[in-house]
Amino acid sequence: MSTHHVDGAADRSAPDGPFGSGQLTFTSFDGGGGAGWQIKESTGLSPTEIERLRAGIDARLDAGVDLPRFPSADDLEGFPRRLVFDADPHHLGDGTMVWWHHAPAGVDGSGRPGNVFTHVLVGHHGPDLGDQTGTSPGARPIDWWRSPGWLTPYGPDAVRDAWLSGPTPSPGVAISPDRVVDFLFDRDDYRRLSVLRVLLDACAAAITGGPPVILATESTDTAARWVAAATYLTSAATGRQLSFSTLERPNSLSNRLQQGVRLCCVPQADHDRLAGPGRGYVLLADDRDLSTGDLDGEPHRTAAGDTVAVTEWSALSRVVLLDAPTASWALAEISRIGSAAPATPRQPAWPLAMLVAAHQDSFPDGVAAASRVVPNTPDGASSEQLAAARQFVERRDLTVADAWRMLEAATHPGQPLGGMAEQVLGIYIALVVTDLDLLRQPGGPPLPAARWQTERWLTPSVLTALSDAANALRTEPDRWRAAAATLGLTTLIWRLGLLPRFADLLVTETERLVWPLLVSGDGADFIASVGPAPEDVLASVVRPAVSDAVHHRELGRGVDHDVLSWLFPVGPPGSGGGVRLDDRLRVEYAYQQWFADPVAHAAERSLAFSAAVWQWYERGAGPDPTALAELFREPPWSAVELAGIEATLPGRLPLSFFGPAIKSAEDGTDVDWLDDTLSVRGGPEYIRRYGLADLLDLRRLSDRQVWSGSDLGRTLDRLLTGGVAGLAYPSVPFDPVTAAMLQTAILIASALSSHDAEIERLIADRSFRPGPAAPGVLAALDDAVGRELTAAHLAVAVMIGEQRFPEENLRSPANRWAARVTVIRHGEKMPVLQACLLDQVQVADLTGSALHGPVRHRLAEVRRKQGVDWQMYVMTEKYALGWLKSQLPGDGWFTRRH
């Protein structure tokens, strides 16, 4: 342990860091480094800590009495002293305690009188005060009064020779429970028990932020006994919350109060000087009459006119301090009870209350006050104390309101429920489940906002109370009240986290009590009165308890729509494909919601249709399949939707649903599934009979196979026939890939002057308006050229489509449409047939004469087909020559276009 002397020796003090145990002395003496007031010695303290501790040192010690000039040993022993105690002063460290002991030291080395020797002790407390002070459990800070370990030298020589080499100060014999009892029951002073009651309540306020307390006493020894009386009547941990000074004077009081000391004792002679107006403290005197008040009644009133609110601390002390023997036993019990619990500064009466709770027959007048304190049993109390506190509270004739007030008092904002709060929670739950009016209010009875950390509140008696409450509801004659209370009880149990334990019982009671109202004509009014229920309650209890009445009703009429919306407040659980068709509420929700708003509830259509079909085939109820097909025809079904229904109801889908899906399904697995499903249902003839063969044939073709075959005519016939078949389903578009294939087929057929009827039907459809060519169309045209389709076909098709072509009756809708389907080529728009022609010219390196001959031949074919006379043919041939030159300019008749 390092030591600090004033002789300027090397620094051997403790480094700055966590505050440790230590001591220091301060006085006026002539040391090696100088004379006067100074720190004489320190051990275990850093320079920073020493500076903070100096704030509590007062070099003046005026007790208001004359001291002998040449005192005897007995005089020295009885000299007045000042003992100041504070826990964690100046935020030195959590658990730190400091005593400042001031003793008269006579004259200093220069002969000046009034020297004071201050001995400061620093220690830490843990579960008991003696962790680092060598004391027994339950010691109070005032027990250090007149400890033989304090250095009290008198005279300059003794001061100079006083060193911190002896034992650390520890509790002495001047203060003890027996001496405090003798003091309180001194027959020569009738005021003491009354003063004690006021002192206790004033200190109770002071340690929780109320005004500090000034007590005028006969002597410093009397002051110490008053401090002891107050701190012995609470636990040692709570007693450490009361900082005190046994001696102050008017001129030192303000500094001590500024330090934060809550109880300061002054000589009786100072009372009147301190009783002036505007003071910020409560002033008491042990030699003056005062009036005591009553709990929840009149307050105490001191001789100085201050009022003090009466608390349970003084009320219980009055009951327990009957006589000296009882008081001695009570103080011992208070120490025993308090040693197993942390501090209770907001309820210093807690050990007293627990004593009364354990001995109600001996202290019947204290039971009411104890019942207000015991629910505040601290979180760190032992399990035995928590159990005893709960038993005491349970024996009281409590109402639900009483239990709720206790629970609120034991709950602290921002903190989880502690040990005693959990115990009170169990008491409250056992009471509240018997109150049907509270159970049936919307949301159920209140619970604390804070959550609990254990299930210690969940005793067998609470579990029994919950089960009994559920069973008792069935005997309630008012069915509406019983049903509402059942929902409230279920919600309460869910909020308590106990729903899995009681789910089966609650489902039974819900089926018995709640569902008859939900399916009655009063269902909508009932749910309006109880308000919304949590989804967990609905999912775990209410919906599984669905009434048989719902099962026997036609789909769509099982439950009132408002009730159904209440049962599914956040939308339905699961998807249509994962729901059992006999899940009556779920399919009822799907059926009603889809018919109520098909757009908002489009996802419910598959389940609604499946349920309706299942009901017809299983029970023969509701619309027949033909009517159902008409009801659910629009919007058209997708392949994915049909696959989900087919998996649930194989073979029950109307074939009319398949056409739109075949037309719009994406290439790949959807088309394969549709093809396979229809083939299994009846084979090719069956499919053809229902008009789906041509459409399926169209969808079997792919853009990689269509134009590579040798029979271009047969391919066009299959594509265009399938395309016309798809026009039977105008509300769905062709799949984009199929639409591009059809666009290509129409262009090729236009160039070949074939399939005129199919083309005109297709281009009349909105899916095949003139406009930009679909991706891949130009490449497909290039692939097709070289077989039936030639460059001459392309040239003639483009020419006929132009407005300046001389023969009006040759410009059919197909020609005009083909001429207007455009592509972007080298930054310019042109008909896609013209672009394909230019591609072929470049690839084949055609000459003008080589192209002109086939064009003339093709025009002759068209003339014969259309019945054009020879004169008109000559005009068209002449036009063709000019058109070719305009499209294929170059040196001479023709050169390659670049």
Side-chain angles (χ1 to χ4, degrees):
M1 184 181 299
S2 61
T3 303
H4 174 80
H5 295 286
V6 296
D7 57 4
D11 183 9
R12 297 184 297 275
S13 61
D16 289 337
F19 198 81
S21 298
Q23 300 180 69
L24 68 81
T25 56
F26 181 92
T27 189
S28 176
F29 81 110
D30 186 5
W37 294 102
Q38 57 191 304
I39 292 176
K40 185 173 187 293
E41 185 182 12
S42 71
T43 61
L45 301 173
S46 71
T48 300
E49 293 161 349
I50 290 171
E51 287 304 312
R52 293 183 181 179
L53 291 171
R54 287 188 65 170
I57 297 174
D58 190 341
R60 297 167 296 177
L61 185 61
D62 178 11
V65 297
D66 293 330
L67 302 180
R69 186 174 180 182
F70 301 103
S72 65
D74 290 341
D75 291 332
L76 291 174
E77 185 66 24
F79 273 177
R81 302 180 186 181
R82 178 195 295 122
L83 181 63
V84 180
F85 169 81
D86 198 0
D88 190 20
H90 310 292
H91 306 288
L92 289 172
D94 187 30
T96 302
M97 303 179 301
V98 181
W99 290 261
W100 290 265
H101 185 268
H102 305 76
V107 298
D108 63 9
S110 64
R112 289 175 298 187
N115 194 14
V116 177
F117 193 92
T118 303
H119 184 176
V120 182
L121 171 66
V122 180
H124 284 287
H125 63 77
D128 64 76
L129 193 59
D131 278 5
Q132 296 187 22
T133 53
T135 62
S136 62
R140 274 64 167 180
I142 194 60
D143 291 337
W144 273 252
W145 177 252
R146 294 195 182 276
S147 167
W150 295 119
L151 294 178
T152 57
Y154 195 84
D157 294 338
V159 167
R160 185 181 61 250
D161 296 335
W163 300 105
L164 296 171
S165 56
T168 301
S170 60
V173 297
I175 295 294
S176 69
D178 289 341
R179 292 195 177 198
V180 168
V181 170
D182 291 342
F183 170 73
L184 292 176
F185 287 91
D186 184 353
R187 296 180 181 276
D188 293 336
D189 192 340
Y190 65 90
R191 301 186 182 92
R192 285 186 179 165
L193 290 176
S194 297
V195 172
L196 175 66
R197 291 178 60 194
V198 182
L199 176 63
L200 291 177
D201 292 337
C203 289
I207 60 179
T208 55
V213 182
I214 309 301
L215 175 61
T217 66
E218 180 183 4
S219 66
T220 57
D221 287 302
T222 304
R225 295 186 186 102
W226 281 119
V227 173
T231 55
Y232 280 10
L233 283 167
T234 188
S235 67
T238 305
R240 290 193 289 270
Q241 305 293 311
L242 182 62
S243 54
F244 62 81
S245 171
T246 59
L247 176 61
E248 299 298 334
R249 301 302 304 275
N251 57 359
S252 68
L253 189 60
S254 61
N255 288 336
R256 195 64 68 194
L257 295 179
Q258 187 175 6
Q259 180 184 340
V261 175
R262 310 313 296 166
L263 172 60
C264 293
C265 297
V266 299
Q268 293 173 344
D270 290 339
H271 178 275
D272 293 342
R273 292 179 57 192
L274 297 172
R279 59 186 183 277
Y281 48 80
V282 173
L283 179 60
L284 292 169
D286 63 3
D287 64 338
R288 311 231 178 168
D289 289 336
L290 41 69
S291 62
T292 57
D294 296 304
L295 191 61
D296 296 329
E298 290 294 319
H300 305 302
R301 189 173 298 276
T302 71
D306 294 325
T307 58
V308 178
V310 181
T311 73
E312 294 84 2
W313 200 8
S314 69
L316 289 168
S317 71
R318 182 180 185 180
V319 171
V320 171
L321 300 180
L322 298 173
D323 51 43
T326 305
S328 295
W329 168 82
L331 294 185
E333 283 296 290
I334 288 171
S335 288
R336 182 188 64 80
I337 294 169
S339 65
T344 55
R346 296 193 175 277
Q347 274 294 0
W350 177 76
L352 264 171
M354 292 295 290
L355 184 151
V356 170
H359 302 279
Q360 299 179 52
D361 294 340
S362 298
F363 307 107
D365 293 341
V367 171
S371 66
R372 297 164 56 156
V373 179
V374 171
N376 293 284
T377 296
D379 294 349
S382 67
S383 58
E384 293 80 7
Q385 289 176 332
L386 287 172
R390 177 171 183 158
Q391 290 174 6
F392 170 72
V393 174
E394 283 181 323
R395 291 190 189 119
R396 305 285 296 153
D397 187 15
L398 298 176
T399 65
V400 175
D402 293 334
W404 178 249
R405 282 192 293 270
M406 287 184 181
L407 187 55
E408 285 189 309
T411 304
H412 306 293
Q415 300 179 15
L417 291 185
M420 190 56 201
E422 289 188 8
Q423 301 300 314
V424 177
L425 174 65
I427 297 169
Y428 168 73
I429 295 302
L431 290 171
V432 79
V433 295
T434 65
D435 190 327
L436 263 62
D437 289 331
L438 278 176
L439 286 177
R440 70 188 184 93
Q441 70 182 16
L447 285 178
R451 299 302 296 172
W452 42 95
Q453 296 177 307
T454 71
E455 285 193 350
R456 285 180 294 192
W457 62 274
L458 191 60
T459 61
S461 62
V462 175
L463 290 172
T464 300
L466 291 169
S467 297
D468 291 347
N471 292 321
L473 289 171
R474 68 184 66 169
T475 63
E476 168 59 37
D478 185 337
R479 64 170 189 153
W480 193 299
R481 192 164 180 254
T486 300
L487 288 175
L489 177 63
T490 305
T491 301
L492 175 66
I493 289 174
W494 166 72
R495 293 174 65 196
L496 293 172
L498 303 177
L499 198 54
R501 300 193 193 196
F502 291 91
D504 291 342
L505 174 61
L506 293 169
V507 167
T508 300
E509 298 310 315
T510 300
E511 182 179 6
R512 185 196 312 271
L513 300 171
V514 177
W515 269 101
L517 268 178
L518 293 180
V519 297
S520 71
D522 296 329
D525 291 337
F526 174 70
I527 62 170
S529 69
V530 297
E535 171 60 22
D536 286 346
V537 169
L538 294 168
S540 300
V541 175
V542 182
R543 295 199 287 262
V546 59
S547 171
D548 283 342
V550 178
H551 287 281
H552 291 96
R553 293 179 180 178
E554 184 179 332
L555 188 65
R557 300 176 182 176
V559 189
D560 181 273
H561 188 74
D562 290 339
V563 175
L564 197 62
S565 298
W566 177 82
L567 288 165
F568 294 95
V570 294
S575 60
V579 178
R580 289 169 52 96
L581 294 181
D582 58 356
D583 184 347
R584 192 61 174 81
L585 282 183
R586 180 64 183 88
V587 300
E588 185 74 26
Y589 177 90
Y591 195 88
Q592 288 198 31
Q593 295 292 65
W594 187 76
F595 275 103
D597 190 343
V599 176
H601 298 282
E604 298 297 330
R605 185 170 68 133
S606 293
L607 180 56
F609 174 75
S610 299
V613 172
W614 181 85
Q615 179 180 250
W616 170 261
Y617 283 105
E618 290 293 322
R619 297 175 47 219
D624 63 28
T626 302
L628 286 173
E630 190 60 35
L631 284 173
F632 287 91
R633 182 182 302 279
E634 294 295 335
W637 295 88
S638 69
V640 173
E641 290 174 317
L642 296 180
I645 299 173
E646 182 71 16
T648 306
L649 298 168
R652 303 297 191 190
L653 278 168
L655 284 180
S656 60
F657 288 180
F658 282 85
I662 295 171
K663 180 180 178 182
S664 61
E666 293 184 6
D667 276 351
T669 56
D670 288 347
V671 175
D672 292 341
W673 178 85
L674 289 164
D675 194 353
D676 294 343
T677 300
L678 290 172
S679 297
V680 171
R681 293 265 305 252
E685 290 304 320
Y686 175 79
I687 298 171
R688 186 170 300 282
R689 185 164 65 247
Y690 284 93
L692 300 175
D694 292 334
L695 194 56
L696 264 176
D697 188 43
L698 166 67
R699 296 311 312 274
R700 290 189 189 102
L701 301 173
S702 73
D703 58 343
R704 293 185 179 276
Q705 299 170 343
V706 168
W707 316 116
S708 60
S710 58
D711 190 351
L712 183 61
R714 171 60 181 154
T715 300
L716 290 175
D717 185 63
R718 292 171 63 191
L719 287 173
L720 295 175
T721 302
V724 171
L727 298 182
Y729 311 103
S731 59
V732 294
F734 281 104
D735 168 67
V737 174
T738 305
M741 291 166 54
L742 286 172
Q743 190 179 53
T744 305
I746 296 171
L747 288 165
I748 294 174
S750 297
L752 293 174
S753 299
S754 67
H755 298 85
D756 294 338
E758 290 89 342
I759 292 175
E760 291 197 14
R761 291 185 64 183
L762 287 171
I763 64 176
D765 185 73
R766 295 174 64 87
S767 300
F768 295 98
R769 287 180 173 182
V777 169
L778 181 58
L781 285 172
D782 286 338
D783 289 344
V785 175
R787 299 191 296 277
E788 289 95 352
L789 180 64
T790 66
H793 288 93
L794 296 173
V796 171
V798 176
M799 282 189 286
I800 292 177
E802 287 199 351
Q803 292 183 356
R804 293 173 297 166
F805 191 77
E807 188 56 46
E808 179 64 28
N809 66 338
L810 294 182
R811 290 201 297 275
S812 68
N815 296 136
R816 288 193 291 270
W817 179 88
R820 292 165 61 193
V821 176
T822 61
V823 296
I824 300 297
R825 183 179 177 86
H826 304 302
E828 61 175 319
K829 275 188 174 183
M830 65 177 66
V832 67
L833 290 175
Q834 183 181 357
C836 184
L837 171 66
L838 298 179
D839 282 346
Q840 296 303 318
V841 168
Q842 288 186 317
V843 171
D845 198 13
L846 296 174
T847 64
S849 59
L851 184 58
H852 185 229
V855 166
R856 292 178 60 194
H857 179 72
R858 176 62 181 152
L859 284 172
E861 290 179 346
V862 172
R863 178 183 69 81
R864 287 192 297 272
K865 183 177 179 181
Q866 299 294 329
V868 179
D869 61 25
W870 177 254
Q871 183 179 2
M872 187 56 64
Y873 168 73
V874 173
M875 292 176 60
T876 57
E877 195 279 334
K878 181 178 179 181
Y879 171 82
L881 180 60
W883 185 88
L884 284 173
K885 289 183 177 181
S886 68
Q887 293 297 310
L888 309 172
D891 184 17
W893 217 97
F894 173 78
T895 58
R896 294 180 65 182
R897 176 183 173 90
H898 296 282

